Amino acid sequence: MNSNNIKEILLTELQIKNKVRELGKEISQDYQGKDLVLVGILKGAICFFSDLMREMQIPVNVDFMAVSSYGNASQTSGAVRILKDLDISVEGRHVLIVEDIVDTGLTLTYLKHNLRARKPSSIKVVALLDKPDRRLVDEKPDYLGFTIPDEFVVGYGIDYAEQYRSLPYVAVLAPAVYQHK
Ligand code: 5GP
């Protein structure tokens, strides 16, 4: 990986760590005594999910879903498809969807609709990043790490063409990287 491909670091490791700790504390207080299932959305949420899980101060169950997203393009298609479904039942339980980024909001609309059919007691969303400028539907995460400008970001689990996920920070990718493809 060429470090020239990174335009700027938007969120440092420390900023992320502190925020995830705060979120873990707040969510733990809100779900005290409740049967909570954290549903991580693969693959972008992997780092956020595993850090948040370890900041939880109450017992939780964990499971994952994978949905189709950007592929190799930096624009959303709007089409959402389940590539991997939950292994466990969420009926009668409290579901917290753990997402990397809310952008147009279409993925969240689809996921909530899909999960609602399984009759959970509640469905809420925690997202690490929110790009409200690009919203096409009326969706808002219930818990949020950071609001960011409309720029294409990578790192901390978030990829471009399956690269950059292992960066420990969130960075803005230099537009030249995806414009020349
Ligand atoms: P939405 O359905 O809200 O438009 O899209 C959400 C998904 O799009 C996120 O979970 C993420 O996978 C992808 N996404 C949105 N913005 C970015 C971005 O800046 N960088 C990358 N790599 N993916 C993004």
Side-chain angles (χ1 to χ4, degrees):
M1 189 192 62
N2 183 344
S3 60
N4 293 334
N5 292 344
I6 300 299
K7 192 171 117 192
E8 64 171 308
I9 294 180
L10 205 59
L11 301 166
T12 65
E13 254 185 284
L14 188 62
Q15 280 175 298
I16 298 171
K17 192 176 169 51
N18 288 339
K19 183 63 78 176
V20 173
R21 178 163 299 155
E22 268 174 42
L23 285 170
K25 202 171 162 197
E26 188 187 351
I27 295 166
S28 300
Q29 283 165 358
D30 292 355
Y31 286 90
Q32 193 78 49
K34 293 186 174 161
D35 182 8
L36 176 61
V37 184
L38 296 179
V39 173
I41 308 304
L42 298 172
K43 303 176 196 170
I46 48 171
C47 296
F48 181 42
F49 188 95
S50 64
D51 285 346
L52 181 67
M53 182 175 88
R54 286 174 291 177
E55 294 293 350
M56 295 296 291
Q57 298 163 352
I58 56 170
V60 293
N61 272 209
V62 302
D63 206 347
F64 299 92
M65 286 177 83
V67 294
S68 62
S69 62
Y70 279 81
N72 284 3
S74 58
Q75 293 297 309
T76 187
S77 66
V80 182
R81 206 158 48 92
I82 294 189
L83 305 176
K84 186 230 171 285
D85 207 343
L86 295 178
D87 295 328
I88 62 176
S89 166
V90 293
E91 187 171 346
R93 316 174 78 179
H94 295 274
V95 168
L96 184 64
I97 299 173
V98 183
E99 253 288 29
D100 55 355
I101 310 178
V102 183
D103 190 21
T104 62
L106 292 169
T107 307
L108 260 196
T109 300
Y110 174 83
L111 282 171
K112 282 163 105 175
H113 177 80
N114 182 287
L115 287 168
R116 213 169 281 129
R118 308 175 196 205
K119 304 192 167 44
S121 294
S122 70
I123 304 179
K124 286 195 175 180
V125 177
V126 57
L128 178 70
L129 307 174
D130 187 13
K131 286 198 215 173
D133 295 348
R134 301 223 330 147
R135 201 71 95 252
L136 294 177
V137 287
D138 185 20
E139 288 288 354
K140 198 160 80 82
D142 301 278
Y143 302 93
L144 175 66
F146 305 90
T147 300
I148 60 166
D150 178 13
E151 297 206 75
F152 194 77
V153 296
V154 294
Y156 194 63
I158 302 163
D159 77 314
Y160 170 66
E162 293 300 329
Q163 289 189 72
Y164 309 103
R165 289 195 201 277
S166 59
L167 297 177
Y169 46 79
V170 172
V172 177
L173 196 60
V177 178
Y178 48 88
Q179 278 164 4
H180 291 164
K181 287 258 165 181

